[in-house]
Amino acid sequence: MGIRTVFTDHSLFGFEDAASILTNKLLVGTLKNVDAVICVSHTGRENTVLRGELFEIDLQDPNKLVVRENVYVIPNALVADEFKPGPPKPTDISELPLIHSPDARLRHRIVTIVVLSRLAYRKGIDLLVATAPRICATFPSITQGQGGDGPKLIDLLQMREKHLLQDRIELLGPVRHNDVQSVRSPHESFGIAILEAACTGLYVVSTRVGGVPEILPKDMISFAEPDEDGLLLNSLLPFYVNLSVTLDVVRAIAEAIAIVSTGKHDSQRAHERVKTFYNWEDVTERTEKVYDAVMKSPQMDLWERMQRTMQLGPFAGPIYTIILIVDCLFFLFLEWWMPREDLDYVKVHWNPKKFAQVHDDSLSCTVSGSDMDTM
């Protein structure tokens, strides 16, 4: 049809199981003829390049492969005003005058650990089940709130019953989308929920996987190192939880508790920092540059598309090429049956300056209305 196409990838996928192999092969065929690819993190870019085979032979060195120039990295963003920190808690270390030992004061500092997630293996609930009793035993004043639903709910219930933690761990069940502030997963390309949690002033704990290390500065997040052998064994034996991973998650959570308890994490300052890190205006501007580059690039003709498609291999190449040719013949039939000249087109020209002016005027009207409400 001659329509320019930009593919945006938000997820990470593996290479070892049958489903991933089949999906990746379909992705290779799909991305052969797209004009550009956008990924949300550098880790996601590497994953997409490998899965989609987005590389070509270097013209200067035929023995070398280089990544295609039309693969871009544009992160996600958020509306920071929708994720503001709550009012400060009245509890503070200064309110514990009878506890003289710093370690004891830390252990009795009231801190709530919040986990909101789909209760499935992919979200790391096995690690939560293994680490929650250890955290509760180490820090007697710690409470945990778990929101979400899924197949791993029975594991959480059994863990809470086994360790008699009904008064320490609250299971909230399904939570409305607009009430969710933090979600965690062992396979994240960017982890927008981590960004949202940090914007609300929460200190984040995560395993060092995927594109998560790219999201926040080191002083706003604590990492637990994943054990690749343990994660592989866990994928083969779902009931298995690697001890080294569990202990490192406990260490990371203990580190976070110490930082929050001693007042080293300023929620309001964290919100202001995240507000400057990611915004939709910057994302939109960068995306527009990608679209503009695509529109200015030379368009591939049918013969070039067929040549690219045949590079899929001796088996998949001819199959995809036949599908491509059949689609082109079908479009020719549609062109004959319903010519382009008989179609109605929207002839209103897009004016970015006019849109920006209307947007600024609406913001000014909103601010004026809020000022009148406060008078």
Side-chain angles (χ1 to χ4, degrees):
M1 296 180 65
I3 299 177
R4 297 304 185 91
T5 307
V6 178
F7 178 81
T8 304
D9 196 359
H10 296 270
S11 301
L12 298 179
F13 290 93
F15 301 89
E16 69 280 355
D17 57 289
S20 297
I21 294 174
L22 178 60
T23 304
N24 293 342
K25 198 62 179 179
L26 295 174
L27 181 68
V28 173
T30 303
L31 298 185
K32 277 295 182 181
N33 296 312
V34 300
D35 295 286
V37 177
I38 297 177
C39 303
V40 295
S41 67
H42 292 280
T43 301
R45 179 177 183 269
E46 295 176 1
N47 183 264
T48 303
V49 166
L50 293 176
R51 289 168 46 230
E53 298 181 8
L54 300 175
F55 37 76
E56 52 194 16
I57 299 177
D58 190 357
L59 298 178
Q60 299 180 354
D61 186 359
N63 298 322
K64 183 180 179 181
L65 295 176
V66 293
V67 180
R68 285 162 50 177
E69 296 181 353
N70 61 347
V71 184
Y72 303 89
V73 176
I74 301 178
N76 283 318
L78 79 168
V79 181
D81 291 337
E82 296 182 0
F83 299 92
K84 295 182 179 180
K89 297 289 184 179
T91 56
D92 190 80
I93 290 187
S94 60
E95 299 180 10
L96 302 173
L98 300 179
I99 305 176
H100 301 286
S101 171
D103 293 337
R105 292 160 71 90
L106 175 59
R107 290 174 180 271
H108 288 78
R109 173 71 162 87
I110 299 178
V111 176
T112 301
I113 299 176
V114 180
V115 180
L116 296 173
S117 169
R118 179 169 56 88
L119 305 183
Y121 163 73
R122 183 176 177 83
K123 293 298 181 180
I125 301 303
D126 290 325
L127 289 176
L128 177 63
V129 172
T131 57
R134 297 174 181 268
I135 291 296
C136 290
T138 305
F139 300 93
S141 61
I142 290 296
T143 60
Q144 300 185 35
Q146 169 67 57
D149 195 7
K152 289 292 182 179
L153 176 60
I154 185 65
D155 294 346
L156 285 171
L157 290 171
Q158 291 177 347
M159 176 271 294
R160 191 174 67 166
E161 293 290 336
K162 178 181 178 180
H163 297 277
L164 303 177
L165 296 174
Q166 290 86 348
D167 59 333
R168 304 280 302 280
I169 300 178
E170 181 181 3
L171 299 180
L172 305 175
V175 182
R176 294 182 303 174
H177 176 73
N178 58 340
D179 294 332
V180 174
Q181 294 181 348
S182 175
V183 182
R184 184 187 161 278
S185 173
H187 304 284
E188 289 283 2
S189 178
F190 182 81
I192 184 65
I194 290 179
L195 183 61
E196 293 172 351
C199 190
T200 60
L202 300 180
Y203 189 87
V204 181
V205 178
S206 173
T207 48
R208 192 185 297 273
V209 293
V212 173
E214 305 177 26
I215 302 176
L216 296 172
K218 296 181 179 179
D219 59 338
M220 298 179 65
I221 185 171
S222 291
F223 287 107
E225 298 295 338
D227 186 304
E228 297 298 333
D229 295 333
L231 294 177
L232 176 60
L233 185 57
N234 201 333
S235 64
L236 299 176
L237 303 174
F239 55 84
Y240 172 83
V241 178
N242 186 269
L243 181 60
S244 62
V245 178
T246 302
L247 294 178
D248 204 53
V249 171
V250 173
R251 176 203 57 78
I253 294 177
E255 175 184 302
I257 293 174
I259 292 175
V260 174
S261 300
T262 54
K264 296 180 180 179
H265 180 72
D266 189 337
S267 299
Q268 190 60 43
R269 182 171 178 269
H271 171 76
E272 295 298 330
R273 293 176 67 186
V274 173
K275 192 174 182 179
T276 60
F277 293 160
Y278 304 95
N279 61 83
W280 284 115
E281 288 79 7
D282 178 62
V283 171
T284 303
E285 182 180 352
R286 295 168 66 175
T287 305
E288 286 181 347
K289 291 181 179 179
V290 174
Y291 291 164
D292 185 62
V294 168
M295 295 303 297
K296 292 180 179 178
S297 64
Q299 189 171 9
M300 290 183 288
D301 55 21
L302 178 59
W303 179 246
E304 183 178 359
R305 292 180 184 274
M306 293 175 60
Q307 287 181 318
R308 283 174 170 265
T309 305
M310 286 298 296
Q311 296 175 359
L312 292 174
F315 180 74
I319 295 177
Y320 273 83
T321 304
I322 292 174
I323 295 175
L324 175 62
I325 295 174
V326 171
D327 284 341
C328 291
L329 293 176
F330 179 65
F331 293 144
L332 288 176
F333 169 75
L334 294 178
E335 183 71 20
W336 167 80
W337 183 50
M338 187 178 295
R340 294 174 184 264
E341 293 77 12
D342 297 341
L343 298 178
D344 295 328
Y345 290 90
V346 178
K347 298 182 179 180
V348 179
H349 178 67
W350 168 253
N351 191 335
K353 295 183 179 180
K354 182 65 176 178
F355 176 80
Q357 180 181 355
V358 173
H359 179 263
D360 295 339
D361 293 342
S362 63
L363 288 180
S364 62
C365 292
T366 303
V367 173
S368 300
S370 61
D371 292 341
M372 292 180 63
D373 293 339
T374 56
M375 291 180 62

